[in-house]
Amino acid sequence: MENHGERGARERWEPLAPGIARRRMPVWDCTIGAVAGPSGVLLVDTGSSLREGAEIRREVEELFGRRVTHIALTHAHFDHVLGTAAFAGVQVYGAMGIDVALRDGEEVRTSAVRQGVDADAAEEAADLLVRPHHLVSGELTLDLGGGRRVLLADVGPGHTGHDLVVLVTDSGGAPEVVFCGDLVEESGEPQAGGDAYPAQWPAALDALLALGGEDAIYVPGHGAVVDAGFVRAQRDALALRFGVS
């Protein structure tokens, strides 16, 4: 008998490399990434509600046949963090400073409602808001087994004061995959809110490019997958926009 749930999950998740996939969530087009190794599965961001988080959890288990063991939060905006409580017992990582940004669930809730999240769903998720168990200053490598290593790097500030990027390497020689969070956006102009650091954003993208190199696959926080040339062009556009070198 055909498994319609699995078929649906596979239709919604875009494969990037063996054991690496991403899903573009509805409404805000936020990217969720998943990286599987023999001994663990890392999720990059968790969606904008507990319902989305639970859906992502089920789909990742269908795709890879095992549960999420680690979560990396790229930054503290609601569409990237409010699904985290749907993953009980998972180790959560974020850049140094994200714990402060997530200390007040009311601020995240207010932002979510302002952007159109159902008020009750936003309140429920904010009440259960999960702050990272592990804060990354500089770089931290996770081993998911079988040569699958994932580098978590705090390259900000830029889009926020705590921008974490995720670099996936593969001993088999496949191109590296870089989950950029909202340091890079393809579906629209990068958003610089009140918590952005415009003068330092271009330098964060320089650090991102130094990590990934010319041949990596770059996965924006919103939009289609891009290459190093796109990231470099966006870096230069941001420098011009904010009047920095």
Side-chain angles (χ1 to χ4, degrees), residues 13-35:
W13 286 78
E14 174 188 357
L16 303 174
I20 309 173
R22 68 92 176 242
R23 180 179 171 188
R24 293 169 68 171
M25 302 302 292
V27 185
W28 296 280
D29 192 29
C30 176
T31 283
I32 306 297
V35 183

Side-chain angles (χ1 to χ4, degrees), residues 30-109:
C30 176
T31 283
I32 306 297
V35 183
S39 60
V41 177
L42 170 74
L43 191 71
V44 182
D45 290 335
T46 61
S48 63
S49 67
L50 292 176
R51 181 193 61 78
E52 282 194 352
E55 181 177 80
I56 292 163
R57 185 191 68 230
R58 289 192 300 269
E59 291 185 349
V60 170
E61 289 178 13
E62 291 171 359
L63 286 172
F64 299 120
R66 48 196 177 279
R67 300 180 64 181
V68 172
T69 55
H70 303 75
I71 289 173
L73 299 176
T74 60
H75 61 292
H77 290 165
F78 78 94
D79 48 334
H80 297 259
V81 304
L82 280 182
T84 308
F87 298 84
V90 174
Q91 294 299 299
V92 182
Y93 296 76
M96 189 70 68
I98 192 174
D99 56 327
V100 177
L102 292 177
R103 186 172 295 161
D104 183 7
E106 177 61 21
E107 183 175 340
V108 181
R109 184 199 67 80

Side-chain angles (χ1 to χ4, degrees), residues 2-242:
E2 185 177 14
N3 185 331
H4 292 280
E6 183 173 356
R7 184 184 65 182
R10 293 192 184 281
E11 288 173 351
R12 287 189 288 270
W13 286 78
E14 174 188 357
L16 303 174
I20 309 173
R22 68 92 176 242
R23 180 179 171 188
R24 293 169 68 171
M25 302 302 292
V27 185
W28 296 280
D29 192 29
C30 176
T31 283
I32 306 297
V35 183
S39 60
V41 177
L42 170 74
L43 191 71
V44 182
D45 290 335
T46 61
S48 63
S49 67
L50 292 176
R51 181 193 61 78
E52 282 194 352
E55 181 177 80
I56 292 163
R57 185 191 68 230
R58 289 192 300 269
E59 291 185 349
V60 170
E61 289 178 13
E62 291 171 359
L63 286 172
F64 299 120
R66 48 196 177 279
R67 300 180 64 181
V68 172
T69 55
H70 303 75
I71 289 173
L73 299 176
T74 60
H75 61 292
H77 290 165
F78 78 94
D79 48 334
H80 297 259
V81 304
L82 280 182
T84 308
F87 298 84
V90 174
Q91 294 299 299
V92 182
Y93 296 76
M96 189 70 68
I98 192 174
D99 56 327
V100 177
L102 292 177
R103 186 172 295 161
D104 183 7
E106 177 61 21
E107 183 175 340
V108 181
R109 184 199 67 80
T110 300
S111 175
V113 173
R114 188 187 309 123
Q115 295 298 323
V117 175
D118 174 79
D120 290 338
E123 183 174 4
E124 179 186 27
D127 284 346
L128 298 171
L129 194 62
V130 176
R131 293 196 296 271
H133 311 109
H134 309 280
L135 298 175
V136 179
S137 177
E139 299 178 358
L140 176 69
T141 299
L142 301 177
D143 188 350
L144 300 181
R148 172 54 52 83
R149 296 183 182 277
V150 181
L151 178 70
L152 310 182
D154 177 6
V155 299
H159 177 66
T160 70
H162 44 267
D163 294 303
L164 190 75
V165 301
V166 179
L167 173 69
V168 189
T169 60
D170 194 318
S171 60
E176 293 178 331
V177 177
V178 185
F179 290 95
C180 307
D182 287 3
L183 283 170
V184 179
E185 297 192 41
E186 185 275 336
S187 55
E189 187 173 273
Q191 298 301 301
D195 57 348
Y197 287 73
Q200 293 162 271
W201 200 332
L205 291 180
D206 287 336
L208 177 68
L209 286 164
L211 282 174
E214 290 300 309
D215 298 326
I217 297 168
Y218 290 88
V219 186
H222 302 264
V225 170
V226 299
D227 59 14
F230 181 96
V231 177
R232 188 170 294 106
Q234 191 158 97
R235 179 256 182 237
D236 293 343
L238 285 166
L240 181 63
R241 174 180 166 188
F242 297 126

